[in-house]
Amino acid sequence: MAEPDLELISTINEIDDQSFLSLCFGPSVSTRTWLLNNAEKFQLRPSLLFTVFLGFTKDPYPYVRKAALDGLSSLGNNVFEDGSMIEGCYCRAIELLNDMEDCVRSAAIRVVITWGLMLAAHSPERKQQLFDEIFVNLCSMTRDMNMKVRVNAFDAIRRLEIVSEDLLLQSVSKRVLSIFKGKKSLVQCSTDQLELLALNVAGAFVHGIEDEFYQVRRSACDALFNLIILSTKFAGEALSLLMDMLNDDSVSVRLQALETLHHMAMSNCLKLQEAHMHMFLNALKDNDGHVRSALRKLLKLVKLPDLVTFQLSFNGLLESLESYPQDESDVLSVLFHMGQNHLNMVDCIIKDVSEQIDPKSEGKLEFDSVKVIAYIVLAISALASDNHTLRIPPRIFSYAATLLGRISHALGDIMDQSTIFAYLLHNSKHIGLSDLGFNSEGVSCSATCGSSVNDIPAIASLKIPAMIHEQQQKDDDAIESVKTILLKVQDIWPLIQSGVLHEALRTLRFCKEALGVFTYGTNKYNGALAFTLQYLKILKLVAKVWSLMSSKRSYPRRTGEWGFLLGKLERGLKELRSRFTGLTKEEEQHILELMLVTCILRLSNGEVCCHLTALRKLSTIASNIQHLLKEECKEPSTFVCEVQRSLSNLGTITPKSLCSSLDLREMLKSFTLGHLEISEELKHIKAELVISDNNYEKPLYFVPGLPVGIPCQIILHNVPSERKLWFRITMDNVTSQFVFLDFLSLGGCDEVREFMYTVPFYRTPKASSFIARICIGLECWFENAEVNERRGGPKCDLAYICKEKEVYLSMIHKG
């Protein structure tokens, strides 16, 4: 249906009940199917639709039956008071579970769960029996020959609220249990029929977990979500199945299993035993960062039964750091929560650690710093609790001098560095300040603890919620400062127009310094802070270029300063538009207007060879702004109107007559810097590129003329899945090669992706050694790069999201 077609809509509204029925019972099967699929678009009575849908479930054509069942599913949102109607629809759907067509059986499952729940709500005295019967019938479909049917069956089971414990236990056991003897028959089932259906219930979840399709396995894990809280015995059996899923080949299945386990922990149904720990902790070494993160979140909640399982979890977390050192902050945060949940176990572990201190070695622990920091975090977690009976040896805290920064970074969402320092200082008072050496971290007692050491116990007794509130206050202060700075920046435009460059730059420098205070103090608004810093750099460049343009002297332009500053300004605006996600329409329009200004400044340069390119870009940007304004139903600014008017009057011209045809100074004069309302949801797209163990003394070896692989460790932040990344490898300051980075195939999520990648470099020179420079670029979807496309490179210009790294290579010598 073409909904915007008013004539068609009026025709549809004229179709009454009689016309609809006449068309449905006509000879055309396609018309009948179409009408049933689109019945909700007609103004028909629900009771009429119910009768039509129920009748056509017996149609000889499978797609008509499917459409009728889909219609019944959608009718489930209406209220029907007649219990016999509800039960009749439910029973008909039960019959169609045995239909020959896959699509019909799949649709019948949706009707069974929808109308079965309605029937249970209408007959509360039979609720338990009805839920049991629904469960039995759905379990019979979990071994259907069609994959989609099996998935729908488990999705429907997910919606059940209560099921008898005997049935639940049967669903996780392939061996048929004697659970139906003496039971009353359920709705529509005799005792013999129910016992026959018990064969289908047997091992339903086991078969789902072992299914060859990951979609079924994932749905089976999800179906356990609500059922595990109904029975302690069933939760124990389900736990064993979910543990097996932590080694599944599919990342989505592993994540779903962890989500269900997380729900078990939240419901106090997760009872881990030592036998589970090996499988459970192996997920800490998973290749996918999302899986590791999900398991760590689970460890923050889980209640471990004894010291053995606690020690295994502790060791497992430390072992995961050997493979993924970038997870350190998250691991330490998990240890803090584990410590708070198992105070007595922390007490035992810390006592054992204190015995490992060798007095002859001046109290240095005989293990690496990772264990040191882990034990310190456990000790801090114990101190932050309300249990004052724990006795943590003060010497434990003497190792925190060089680790305070890492600890405070890991626990930043729980307490700030000043509070951590107060804890350490107060609980190591028997050792003395000089032994702690906290000055190496640049933290003074007077700055963090107040004017008196007597205030330290009060600081050390701060509760966690207060610390969280303090961090939230810091975030709020940061975003308020950003908004204040943007208001201040708006006022410098008259200074730039007046040519008071020194005062404008001084104001921008002051704003940048004020913003720098919050750069590392917040996690929530990192994107907004990075955006504002880049915006201040752009305004600084605009001010300098504007000053050169206003100057009567043309000498600086000839020296290249003009072109150099314009190039930096264009690159900066390109990064501002492409390296941030979550931009609002207003922010994008603001950036586009600055890009218009840059194009006009480029045109005023006087270089004829650049005029047509700049003019084409000017026209494209003006069109983009017009499109944005049309979407928002807003009027263009005076500056945009002036640009559009000049472009419309331009006509067909030659490059030489371009400057005289456009009144560039008049357009620039009409520009005013509007207020920028920054979005708090901005995310900064960036990358970290590390090439380990490579320098002049340890180069990579290559054979001239043959490809060489450059191993890179890469961390991507906030890169959307629809964007494209490229490696750019240059040699002797000449672009040599682009390599596409297919980061989606390497796992992870949009927020953080971590992986190793070997970049092939094909154009090795005939030289004994050389230096290649490599960086990662993000395609700017709004700008084309036809030259690179012909060379097999990116189709759009690139905005580079990491610092360029040097790679040292040396030729392999014979003999």
Side-chain angles (χ1 to χ4, degrees):
M1 283 185 174
E3 292 186 354
D5 191 334
L6 297 179
E7 293 184 3
L8 182 59
I9 290 177
S10 62
T11 304
I12 291 172
N13 291 333
E14 292 174 1
I15 297 179
D16 56 10
D17 294 356
Q18 187 64 37
S19 302
F20 181 80
L21 289 173
S22 177
L23 290 169
C24 282
F25 286 98
S28 174
V29 178
S30 59
T31 300
R32 189 184 314 150
T33 306
W34 186 90
L35 285 169
L36 293 175
N37 283 327
N38 294 277
E40 61 183 13
K41 298 182 182 294
F42 302 96
Q43 303 298 321
L44 303 174
R45 291 178 290 111
S47 58
L48 174 68
L49 287 176
F50 175 84
T51 305
V52 171
F53 288 145
L54 189 61
F56 279 112
T57 58
K58 298 185 178 181
D59 194 276
Y61 294 95
Y63 286 103
V64 175
R65 298 198 299 276
K66 176 187 180 300
L69 287 167
D70 289 339
L72 287 172
S73 294
S74 61
L75 277 181
N77 298 323
N78 296 281
V79 178
F80 290 92
E81 299 295 337
D82 191 339
S84 60
M85 287 176 58
I86 301 173
E87 188 164 354
C89 179
Y90 167 73
C91 292
R92 177 59 185 151
I94 292 289
E95 293 175 14
L96 289 174
L97 291 178
N98 297 316
D99 196 277
M100 295 295 293
E101 298 294 331
D102 299 338
C103 63
V104 178
R105 295 197 303 277
S106 188
I109 288 173
R110 292 190 289 271
V111 177
V112 166
I113 188 62
T114 302
W115 288 79
L117 294 177
M118 289 173 60
L119 183 60
H122 187 270
S123 307
E125 71 282 357
R126 299 162 54 199
K127 185 174 182 179
Q128 180 68 62
Q129 287 184 331
L130 286 170
F131 269 84
D132 285 345
E133 181 181 327
I134 295 169
F135 180 74
V136 169
N137 281 286
L138 291 176
C139 284
S140 71
M141 305 305 293
T142 58
R143 281 182 286 186
D144 192 273
M145 296 297 292
N146 183 266
M147 181 267 289
K148 291 183 179 179
V149 173
R150 299 198 297 275
V151 170
N152 284 345
F154 281 115
D155 289 344
I157 290 174
R158 168 75 155 80
R159 298 174 59 184
L160 293 175
E161 298 174 0
I162 54 173
V163 179
S164 296
E165 183 180 54
D166 291 338
L167 287 174
L168 291 175
L169 294 175
Q170 179 65 83
S171 68
V172 290
S173 173
K174 291 184 178 181
R175 181 173 59 87
V176 177
L177 306 176
S178 300
I179 61 174
F180 295 102
K181 292 181 179 180
K183 282 188 175 287
K184 294 181 180 180
S185 62
L186 299 178
V187 178
Q188 300 297 320
C189 292
S190 66
T191 304
D192 293 338
Q193 290 172 328
L194 188 58
E195 289 180 356
L196 183 62
L197 287 175
L199 295 172
N200 294 323
V201 178
F205 280 108
V206 179
H207 289 293
I209 293 297
E210 296 175 349
D211 199 278
E212 60 178 313
F213 292 98
Y214 80 90
Q215 295 95 330
V216 180
R217 300 196 300 273
R218 181 179 60 196
S219 184
C221 292
D222 189 37
L224 292 166
F225 196 85
N226 290 327
L227 301 179
I228 51 179
I229 64 175
L230 301 177
S231 165
T232 303
K233 292 181 180 179
F234 177 71
E237 297 295 333
L239 177 59
S240 299
L241 296 179
L242 291 170
M243 284 299 170
D244 292 336
M245 290 297 95
L246 297 182
N247 277 337
D248 196 90
D249 294 335
S250 170
V251 173
S252 63
V253 174
R254 301 200 296 273
L255 287 173
Q256 184 58 61
L258 286 168
E259 184 179 342
T260 304
L261 288 170
H262 189 274
H263 179 65
M264 290 179 70
M266 293 286 289
S267 306
N268 293 322
C269 297
L270 183 59
K271 307 297 181 183
L272 285 175
Q273 303 298 326
E274 186 177 349
H276 300 134
M277 297 309 292
H278 176 73
M279 195 82 70
F280 185 69
L281 297 175
N282 265 349
L284 288 171
K285 302 175 185 178
D286 197 281
N287 292 329
D288 188 89
H290 222 43
V291 174
R292 299 197 305 275
S293 178
L295 184 58
R296 289 194 294 267
K297 289 178 182 177
L298 178 57
L299 278 172
K300 290 181 179 180
L301 298 173
V302 69
K303 302 291 185 182
L304 298 171
D306 50 41
L307 184 60
V308 174
T309 53
F310 185 89
Q311 188 69 59
L312 287 172
S313 301
F314 179 83
N315 294 337
L317 286 165
L318 295 187
E319 288 173 7
S320 72
L321 282 179
E322 296 178 4
S323 303
Y324 304 100
Q326 65 270 19
D327 293 346
E328 180 181 281
S329 296
D330 204 8
V331 167
L332 295 179
S333 178
V334 173
L335 288 173
F336 181 88
H337 287 86
M338 285 177 58
Q340 291 224 306
N341 294 335
H342 307 85
L343 293 175
N344 293 332
M345 299 179 192
V346 171
D347 192 21
C348 295
I349 287 179
I350 296 300
K351 286 180 181 178
D352 292 340
V353 172
S354 63
E355 294 174 0
Q356 298 179 36
I357 299 177
D358 182 9
K360 296 181 181 179
S361 61
E362 299 180 356
K364 294 181 180 179
L365 292 175
E366 297 180 346
F367 39 65
D368 57 21
S369 62
V370 175
K371 279 193 175 181
V372 172
I373 194 172
Y375 283 123
I376 291 174
V377 168
L378 282 181
I380 293 174
S381 71
L383 295 173
S385 69
D386 293 327
N387 190 335
H388 301 292
T389 62
L390 298 178
R391 294 183 178 275
I392 308 297
R395 188 173 294 278
I396 293 292
F397 302 102
S398 65
Y399 301 96
T402 59
L403 302 173
L404 182 58
R406 291 162 67 185
I407 296 173
S408 61
H409 178 65
L411 305 183
D413 60 334
I414 303 170
M415 62 179 77
D416 59 17
Q417 183 168 301
S418 301
T419 306
I420 296 172
F421 175 76
Y423 280 139
L424 299 176
L425 183 61
H426 176 64
N427 289 280
S428 58
K429 58 188 177 182
H430 300 297
I431 299 177
L433 283 173
S434 59
D435 296 331
L436 288 172
F438 280 104
N439 289 334
S440 62
E441 286 286 333
V443 183
S444 64
C445 180
S446 60
T448 57
C449 304
S451 57
S452 173
V453 178
N454 294 329
D455 296 332
I456 293 175
I459 298 175
S461 64
L462 290 176
K463 299 296 185 290
I464 301 304
M467 301 167 192
I468 296 175
H469 174 75
E470 186 175 347
Q471 180 61 41
Q472 292 173 345
Q473 186 62 46
K474 282 189 176 183
D475 291 338
D476 294 339
D477 291 343
I479 196 63
E480 287 302 319
S481 297
V482 166
K483 293 177 180 178
T484 304
I485 286 171
L486 291 175
L487 282 172
K488 179 75 174 176
V489 162
Q490 186 182 3
D491 298 334
I492 71 168
W493 188 247
L495 298 176
I496 295 176
Q497 285 183 313
S498 305
V500 189
L501 179 63
H502 176 73
E503 185 65 24
L505 294 181
R506 191 179 71 84
T507 304
L508 287 171
R509 185 167 57 251
F510 168 78
C511 292
K512 182 180 177 182
E513 290 173 355
L515 198 63
V517 175
F518 298 97
T519 303
Y520 301 102
T522 178
N523 294 320
K524 186 176 181 181
Y525 300 116
N526 280 340
L529 288 168
F531 182 90
T532 309
L533 283 171
Q534 179 72 3
Y535 181 67
L536 294 178
K537 292 178 184 177
I538 285 170
L539 292 183
K540 179 180 178 181
L541 290 169
V542 170
K544 289 183 176 181
V545 174
W546 198 283
S547 177
L548 284 177
M549 181 199 66
S550 303
S551 176
K552 295 181 180 179
R553 297 181 292 108
S554 61
Y555 174 74
R557 300 190 193 183
R558 291 197 302 269
T559 61
E561 183 179 0
W562 173 271
F564 174 73
L565 290 175
L566 272 178
K568 287 186 67 176
L569 179 56
E570 289 169 343
R571 288 192 298 273
L573 286 167
K574 182 168 63 176
E575 290 184 3
L576 197 65
R577 192 179 178 195
S578 60
R579 288 192 60 185
F580 293 89
T581 60
L583 286 171
T584 63
K585 301 290 185 183
E586 290 77 11
E587 290 166 340
E588 192 167 354
Q589 180 188 341
H590 193 92
I591 297 170
L592 286 171
E593 289 198 16
L594 286 173
M595 295 176 79
L596 276 183
V597 172
T598 307
C599 285
I600 297 171
L601 290 170
R602 172 72 72 182
L603 286 169
S604 67
N605 187 25
E607 296 180 4
V608 177
C609 61
C610 301
H611 283 164
L612 290 180
T613 302
L615 182 61
R616 191 182 299 113
K617 190 173 182 180
L618 185 74
S619 178
T620 301
I621 295 171
S623 298
N624 290 340
I625 293 177
Q626 186 176 5
H627 179 70
L628 282 177
L629 292 171
K630 187 179 295 184
E631 287 183 351
E632 296 291 307
C633 299
K634 293 183 178 179
E635 293 296 323
S637 63
T638 304
F639 170 62
V640 174
C641 288
E642 182 66 26
V643 172
Q644 290 174 341
R645 183 190 62 79
S646 299
L647 288 173
S648 63
N649 296 334
L650 194 57
T652 304
I653 60 171
T654 63
K656 292 184 178 180
S657 62
L658 180 59
C659 289
S660 59
S661 302
L662 286 174
D663 192 349
L664 302 175
R665 289 187 175 273
E666 188 64 30
M667 284 192 284
L668 290 174
K669 191 184 297 184
S670 64
F671 175 75
T672 56
L673 186 67
H675 174 55
L676 178 61
E677 281 284 350
I678 194 166
S679 169
E680 298 179 6
E681 304 300 322
L682 286 176
K683 290 186 178 181
H684 189 201
I685 298 175
K686 60 182 180 178
E688 300 173 39
L689 177 62
V690 179
I691 302 170
S692 303
D693 204 24
N694 178 254
N695 51 43
Y696 279 114
E697 297 180 352
K698 297 180 179 179
L700 295 176
Y701 292 102
F702 73 98
V703 177
L706 295 180
V708 61
I710 303 173
C712 302
Q713 181 180 348
I714 300 168
I715 304 177
L716 303 178
H717 298 271
N718 303 314
V719 181
S721 56
E722 66 272 12
R723 302 296 292 275
K724 293 182 179 180
L725 296 179
W726 294 81
F727 290 102
R728 186 194 68 180
I729 307 174
T730 60
M731 186 177 60
D732 298 330
N733 296 322
V734 178
T735 298
S736 180
Q737 180 187 315
F738 288 97
V739 178
F740 178 67
L741 174 57
D742 185 12
F743 62 92
L744 294 180
S745 64
L746 300 172
C749 59
D750 285 355
E751 290 187 2
V752 181
R753 299 178 190 269
E754 308 162 11
F755 52 87
M756 292 294 299
Y757 194 88
T758 301
V759 185
F761 180 54
Y762 299 100
R763 301 174 183 176
T764 52
K766 294 182 179 180
S768 59
S769 63
F770 70 98
I771 298 176
R773 292 173 176 81
I774 183 171
C775 60
I776 301 174
L778 176 77
E779 276 198 16
C780 302
W781 48 269
F782 49 84
E783 289 191 10
N784 292 330
E786 297 176 359
V787 175
N788 287 338
E789 185 178 1
R790 288 198 299 269
R791 294 178 180 175
K795 295 181 180 180
C796 303
D797 285 343
L798 297 180
Y800 295 99
I801 61 175
C802 71
K803 292 182 179 180
E804 193 174 58
K805 298 290 185 179
E806 290 188 339
V807 185
Y808 300 93
L809 298 103
S810 178
M811 182 178 66
I812 297 177
H813 296 283
K814 295 180 179 180

